[in-house]
Amino acid sequence: MSFRDQQKYLETLQRHERKMDPKEREELKMFIKRHKDEEEFDTLSMQRLKELHDKYNITVDRSKYDSFFKKS
């Protein structure tokens, strides 16, 4: 993974920080510190970051809203 992907995941997770349990919050802080030091994450760290991202960043199914915006 690239440094840019890493940054994108961290920015998204920072918005969900208050929902996390204390252990996950500490992990996120550690990831942020490593990112500030401009380290590129190893495979295990990146895998854990993706797991956290998938857990907290839930995509909304926008097809449910199509009925409200139908053209006449």
Side-chain angles (χ1 to χ4, degrees):
M1 281 294 174
S2 69
F3 193 76
R4 185 174 176 126
D5 294 331
Q6 178 177 311
Q7 181 179 5
K8 192 169 32 172
Y9 286 137
L10 288 172
E11 286 174 355
T12 305
L13 282 173
Q14 283 179 330
R15 290 186 230 131
H16 301 287
E17 186 175 0
R18 59 182 150 60
K19 298 179 191 175
M20 295 181 181
D21 64 354
K23 182 184 175 199
E24 290 172 341
R25 193 174 298 130
E26 284 299 317
E27 279 183 322
L28 179 64
K29 287 180 183 179
M30 179 197 63
F31 286 140
I32 293 170
K33 286 179 184 177
R34 287 178 61 193
H35 182 71
K36 285 183 180 178
D37 291 340
E38 296 183 2
E39 288 184 32
E40 197 164 314
F41 293 172
D42 58 348
T43 55
L44 294 175
S45 298
M46 197 62 181
Q47 181 181 3
R48 180 64 182 147
L49 185 64
K50 284 182 185 179
E51 288 173 3
L52 286 173
H53 182 267
D54 293 341
K55 181 178 178 181
Y56 288 104
N57 190 29
I58 301 168
T59 57
V60 177
D61 182 23
R62 297 181 193 272
S63 64
K64 292 189 275 185
Y65 303 117
D66 286 344
S67 62
F68 295 116
F69 300 103
K70 283 191 173 181
K71 293 182 179 179
S72 52

